[in-house]
Amino acid sequence: MSVSPMLVRLAAERATGALLRDHGTLYLVDGRVVHAESPAAPGMDVLLTAAGRLPREGWDEAVDRAGAHRAVGRFLVDSGRLGDGELEICHLGAVFDAAFFALSPTGGPTRFRYGVGHWFGTVRPVSAEAVERETLRRRELLDAVWPYASVDTAPVVPRPAAPHQGVGARRRALLAAADGVRTPADLARHLGRPAFHTLLDVRRLAAAGLVETPLDTVPDAAAVPPAPAFPPVPPVSDPDIALLRRLRDALEAHL
């Protein structure tokens, strides 16, 4: 299954330019993906500066001095601000992150502008096949964890943990930043994290009953098959958490 037949065709043509979709843009050189961006995913500037790896003025200088030459990435390395390997890893993560959203299902038009390049420049080209394969893998992973996509765009509202329910440090930081207004995309920018990994954490928190799920997407308790269809669940103080745990266990049983 292809997530974008046009991307496959452009790869076969070894095309160079920008593939524009409703939720983002992929930049190709000789049919390979060299950059991606999406309003839903933090860009390289956020990933580098919010995490404290690069001061904002260092990023701004790189864009000012090398953007017109499409060589911002190369400038960051040549000026000693980043190592080659560090740039490659960060950029590759940002490409897959933005591509996941850019290639999301859409009813809008898909266009290709031949010859258009991105000011960041080429770091490490990725095959269109690899981008599609990773996009599909991420979709399947999200649905396996918690198959209610409404949490991906809704404000993240934390819920109290059940007694003795542990939360890892990364998700604790996410919950601490969740103010009931920020969406997963907002939290990704605020924390300087890839958007997909933030979505994955939010879905895991939803499956554990630690964030709210919009009511219109949660199955009614009466529709959930009674035991023994689901494994027994220890009693908890909140019946909604018990329901979420039963759903999670049922999903895991089919993985």
Side-chain angles (χ1 to χ4, degrees):
M1 179 174 61
S2 173
V3 297
S4 173
M6 182 177 285
L7 176 60
V8 173
R9 176 174 61 80
L10 292 167
E13 292 177 2
R14 299 179 60 85
T16 295
L19 178 64
L20 289 79
R21 292 170 58 90
D22 281 355
H23 304 297
T25 303
L26 272 63
Y27 294 85
L28 280 67
V29 172
D30 293 332
R32 296 170 68 83
V33 178
V34 297
H35 196 74
E37 57 187 13
S38 168
M44 285 287 290
D45 58 335
V46 175
L47 295 175
L48 289 170
T49 62
R53 179 59 191 84
L54 186 70
R56 185 74 212 191
E57 56 270 22
W59 172 265
D60 291 341
E61 181 188 5
V63 174
D64 289 344
R65 296 184 59 180
H69 305 290
R70 298 179 183 174
V72 171
R74 191 71 256 156
F75 181 88
L76 290 171
V77 172
D78 292 344
S79 62
R81 288 170 171 79
L82 293 176
D84 267 315
E86 188 176 13
L87 173 69
E88 186 174 309
I89 290 171
C90 185
H91 185 257
L92 193 61
V95 166
F96 282 122
D97 196 40
F100 172 78
F101 297 97
L103 294 174
S104 61
T106 176
T110 298
R111 305 176 303 279
F112 188 73
R113 296 177 60 190
Y114 284 91
V116 174
H118 193 273
W119 47 263
F120 191 82
T122 298
V123 178
R124 180 179 179 180
V126 184
S127 71
E129 180 185 9
V131 171
E132 287 216 329
R133 184 170 60 246
E134 179 63 13
T135 296
L136 286 171
R137 186 191 71 83
R138 293 184 179 206
R139 288 183 190 176
E140 292 168 357
L141 180 57
L142 286 176
D143 286 341
V145 169
W146 186 244
Y148 301 104
S150 60
V151 298
D152 296 351
T153 54
V156 179
V157 181
R159 301 191 64 189
H164 312 299
Q165 187 176 18
V167 183
R170 188 180 72 253
R171 289 174 206 154
R172 280 201 306 273
L174 192 156
L175 288 170
D179 55 5
V181 176
R182 293 185 178 115
T183 64
D186 296 330
L187 288 168
R189 293 187 186 90
H190 177 74
L191 297 169
R193 298 179 180 179
F196 170 78
H197 297 302
T198 304
L199 285 186
L200 188 59
D201 278 337
V202 169
R203 290 215 193 185
R204 283 173 172 156
L205 289 167
L210 293 172
V211 299
E212 298 280 359
T213 297
L215 293 177
D216 59 345
T217 63
V218 178
D220 185 79
V224 179
F230 291 104
V233 179
V236 295
S237 57
D238 188 327
D240 288 336
I241 293 178
L243 171 60
L244 292 173
R245 285 180 174 172
R246 288 199 300 274
L247 290 168
R248 179 193 59 193
D249 291 342
L251 287 168
E252 290 176 349
H254 289 82
L255 294 181

